[in-house]
Amino acid sequence: MEFDAIVVGAGLAGLVATVEIADAGKRVLLVDQEPETSFGGQAWWSFGGLFLVNSPEQRRLGIKDSKALAWQDWMGAAGFDREDDQDYWGRQWAEAYVEFASGEKRAWLHKMGVRFFPIVGWAERGGYLAEGHGNSVPRFHIVWGTGPGIVAPFERRVREHMKSGAVTYRPRHRVDRLLSSNGAINGITGSILAPSTAARGEASSREVAGEFEYRARSVLVSSGGLGGNHEMIRRNWPSRLGEPPAEMLSGVPAHVDGRMLDITEQAGGRIVNRDRMWHYTEGIKNWNPVWDKHGIRILPGPSSIWLDARGQRLPAPNFPGFDTLGTLETIVKTGYGYSWFILTQKMIEREFALSGSEQNPDLTGKSIKQVLSRVLPGATAPVKAFMEQGEDFVIAKSLAELVAGMNKLTEEPLLNLADIERQLIARDRQIDNKFTKDLQITAIRGARNYLGDKLIRVASPHKMLDPRNGPLIAVRLRIVSRKTLGGLQTDLSGRVLNGDGEAIKGLYAAGEASGFGGGGFHGYRALEGTFLGGCLFTGRTAGRAIAGE
């Protein structure tokens, strides 16, 4: 055979696996349906957050973390309830990953040249009891350079191997079928797509210009999930979350289409936990879109008042940044696919960040000067651009003007000024004392006990209707599609299993296609920073297993 291994998908998991296989002296064919401009896949667009446990960055900020605490949090989030079947391997992958995140993960990345922003973020704060969902401590480590910064070292190694001849890269090669012989997967066949000048993330042509067939001893599927395929999302949507929204924004490009999941299933691979998925509720439409229905997620601090479509405050603990899927369920079951933030100028200056490498030019460009400018008065430049040009923002000097502007953004004017005013007055009364019965204000004050939040992330509690804290700002929030939590079931070597639980010889999966490990190592919920980390870990594990065959 011309190749020892074929890797399908040039995203982060595929790049990591390719490096591991080629480093072992094997010959690798790397194929992807997109043009070379999309090298690195979804990871390139990411904020670059990684889940690390007991890191130097945490310790410098006074955070006491441990593997035991991280595993407690993981189990509280995952809620594994199919352990005899669909969750069997996912839980084992989860244990291995928490061990990795608590141990060699940071040193391995550091050796590759990856560095981290010194302030550790506190994502998915939970808001339940100690054994419930959420991170007990901040664990969201932002890569210096964001998504491109985590892709770069692996892309560099792949391109070095391309120069030496160990790796052959074929963009615009769309796999249509996995080939087999004597029960083993030993190749791929598909369509050569016409050359495309599409920029990264833009939709590329599907015009077929030819065909291909390649053989190898092993095939690794690292083609991502289905976040860009809304039809498939709706088909797999779990009834526990209510009816799927009639409209969603897309947090990923259109090529994240789930094709290879179906193709691998047709070849005998088993897909589990189809009903587990991860979509964000704080989506705003990109005023400068790259792909169709391009949505950007707000990374909010905890202070904004969150209202449903009819203007009612969401119940505790559905506060910004606490429980993504809990909030998704609450919003969807209102019968509307959108909700609202109301906040002040003081809040937006301190608490609003936008997810994505392109929305954080200071971190992505590794500019210390630009990062330091975040502490200056005013919103960051990307946030300010959305305030001025985005269709989801309303800015007003009075609450009456604000509510009128909010009603103009929807087909039906559902919001009542007196109702919203009553809720904000009640909330503001809770600021008069250092103690309160409002759990959101308690959470804000608790967050400011963490130095990182107090410095750059959480505004000091203040009255929203006090004109000195204005103007008032409202943001219409929509559901934005993102991740697949289920996927191809794999053993701890990354080998894809069939319906009988047996490994299919020659067939491997990594990254989102494998549910980030085992067909779903997150269970029902993610602790954040675990998507990129899951791609790194599964790509490395499967790559080493293939190399060792």
Side-chain angles (χ1 to χ4, degrees):
M1 295 182 179
E2 184 180 355
F3 302 103
D4 295 300
I6 297 171
V7 175
V8 182
L12 183 59
L15 296 184
V16 174
T18 298
V19 169
E20 293 290 342
I21 300 167
D23 279 353
K26 308 293 184 180
R27 296 162 299 169
V28 186
L29 172 65
L30 175 62
V31 300
D32 196 287
Q33 68 178 350
E34 293 307 299
E36 189 168 354
T37 50
S38 288
F39 214 70
Q42 295 181 63
W44 191 93
W45 293 100
S46 75
F47 193 37
L50 290 175
F51 178 94
L52 295 174
V53 178
N54 193 25
S55 69
E57 289 78 16
Q58 287 175 300
R59 294 193 294 270
R60 281 194 289 269
L61 290 166
I63 300 166
K64 297 178 181 179
D65 200 5
S66 67
K67 184 175 72 172
L69 182 60
W71 181 241
Q72 174 182 301
D73 288 347
W74 194 287
M75 289 298 287
F80 293 121
D81 57 6
R82 305 165 181 174
E83 293 191 50
D84 292 337
D85 185 18
Q86 296 188 68
D87 284 336
Y88 178 80
W89 288 104
R91 174 172 173 152
Q92 293 190 58
W93 271 96
E95 288 189 74
Y97 178 71
V98 172
E99 177 76 33
F100 176 61
S102 307
E104 64 176 311
K105 179 179 178 181
R106 186 186 181 281
W108 173 61
L109 291 172
H110 199 270
K111 187 177 180 181
M112 296 282 291
V114 176
R115 299 293 183 267
F116 296 97
F117 185 61
I119 304 296
V120 183
W122 196 352
E124 287 296 298
R125 302 176 190 225
Y128 302 92
L129 300 181
E131 292 185 293
H133 170 62
N135 285 294
S136 297
V137 298
R139 296 192 178 104
F140 192 78
H141 295 67
I142 301 168
V143 171
W144 188 235
T146 66
I150 193 65
V151 169
F154 299 99
E155 178 177 355
R156 181 174 62 252
R157 292 290 294 125
V158 168
R159 293 196 182 279
E160 288 171 357
H161 283 303
M162 287 166 59
K163 290 179 181 179
S164 72
V167 172
T168 301
Y169 171 51
R170 294 281 184 265
R172 304 298 285 159
H173 278 53
R174 184 185 68 192
V175 175
D176 297 326
R177 187 163 62 92
L178 297 176
L179 302 175
S180 64
S181 178
N182 298 321
I185 300 298
N186 65 351
I188 57 174
T189 184
S191 305
I192 300 173
L193 302 180
S196 171
T197 58
R200 183 185 293 274
E202 292 181 352
S204 61
S205 163
R206 291 294 178 260
E207 178 187 351
V208 175
E211 297 177 348
F212 67 85
E213 180 177 313
Y214 295 106
R215 300 277 178 171
R217 294 183 180 87
S218 303
V219 176
L220 172 70
V221 177
S222 54
S223 53
L226 49 85
N229 187 335
H230 290 191
E231 180 183 348
M232 190 176 287
I233 290 172
R234 291 189 176 94
R235 193 160 65 239
N236 294 329
W237 189 271
S239 59
R240 65 180 178 275
L241 295 181
E243 292 296 318
E247 292 186 9
M248 288 184 285
L249 299 176
S250 285
V252 295
H255 65 75
V256 186
D257 55 17
R259 284 187 75 256
M260 279 305 301
L261 293 173
D262 287 344
I263 290 168
T264 309
E265 187 176 30
Q266 291 166 12
R270 185 191 184 202
I271 297 176
V272 295
N273 299 312
R274 296 177 192 267
D275 61 327
R276 294 180 184 168
M277 50 187 70
W278 193 254
H279 308 303
Y280 291 113
T281 50
E282 312 97 330
I284 52 178
K285 192 169 184 180
N286 194 345
W287 63 270
N288 187 24
V290 178
W291 53 81
D292 186 40
K293 299 179 180 178
H294 189 173
I296 298 294
R297 184 205 176 192
I298 295 170
L299 300 173
S303 300
S304 297
I305 294 296
W306 206 333
L307 306 177
D308 66 20
R310 292 189 177 275
Q312 301 304 306
R313 240 179 123 176
L314 299 190
N318 294 316
F319 309 135
F322 277 67
D323 179 3
T324 294
L325 282 199
T327 308
L328 176 64
E329 179 180 355
T330 298
I331 291 170
V332 169
K333 287 185 176 179
T334 66
Y336 296 90
Y338 68 93
S339 60
W340 296 97
F341 276 169
I342 292 182
L343 64 158
T344 65
Q345 179 67 25
K346 284 187 177 180
M347 291 177 187
I348 206 167
E349 288 180 1
R350 180 64 68 92
E351 299 197 2
F352 260 40
L354 301 173
S355 184
S357 56
E358 83 285 11
Q359 299 298 331
N360 294 274
D362 51 354
L363 293 166
T364 303
K366 302 181 181 180
S367 171
I368 295 175
K369 181 179 179 180
Q370 284 186 306
V371 168
L372 291 175
S373 70
R374 290 191 178 218
V375 302
L376 298 175
T380 64
V383 171
K384 188 176 180 181
F386 270 90
M387 293 172 68
E388 294 173 349
Q389 303 184 64
E391 64 181 59
D392 296 306
F393 282 76
V394 180
I395 303 170
K397 292 182 178 180
S398 70
L399 185 61
E401 183 185 350
L402 187 80
V403 174
M406 294 163 72
N407 275 327
K408 288 179 181 179
L409 292 186
T410 58
E411 293 182 3
E412 186 179 358
L414 300 174
L415 303 176
N416 180 273
L417 171 60
D419 205 17
I420 293 175
E421 185 175 39
R422 187 199 78 248
Q423 294 176 81
L424 294 187
I425 289 173
R427 180 263 182 206
D428 280 0
R429 288 186 181 126
Q430 302 294 305
I431 301 295
D432 289 335
N433 296 288
K434 292 183 179 180
F435 46 88
T436 176
K437 72 175 182 180
D438 190 304
L439 291 180
Q440 185 173 7
I441 295 173
T442 297
I444 295 166
R445 288 174 172 153
R448 286 175 60 83
N449 287 326
Y450 165 49
L451 180 61
D453 275 352
K454 187 172 184 178
L455 287 175
I456 65 170
R457 196 71 180 107
V458 181
S460 178
H462 57 268
K463 294 190 175 184
M464 297 184 68
L465 295 181
D466 186 335
R468 291 173 297 180
N469 299 320
L472 289 168
I473 300 165
V475 188
R476 178 178 54 181
L477 308 171
R478 288 178 271 186
I479 310 302
V480 56
S481 68
R482 191 61 66 89
K483 297 296 180 186
T484 309
L485 296 188
L488 294 163
Q489 194 170 40
T490 58
D491 65 13
L492 285 177
S493 295
R495 298 183 298 176
V496 176
L497 308 180
N498 61 22
D500 295 325
E502 301 169 340
I504 300 172
K505 188 175 181 181
L507 183 59
Y508 294 77
E512 192 173 351
S514 68
F516 302 96
F521 84 163
H522 291 100
Y524 285 93
R525 283 175 164 86
L527 291 175
E528 291 289 15
T530 54
F531 300 126
L532 289 179
C535 291
L536 292 168
F537 187 52
T538 55
R540 190 178 88 144
T541 301
R544 291 181 177 184
I546 291 170
E549 278 196 329

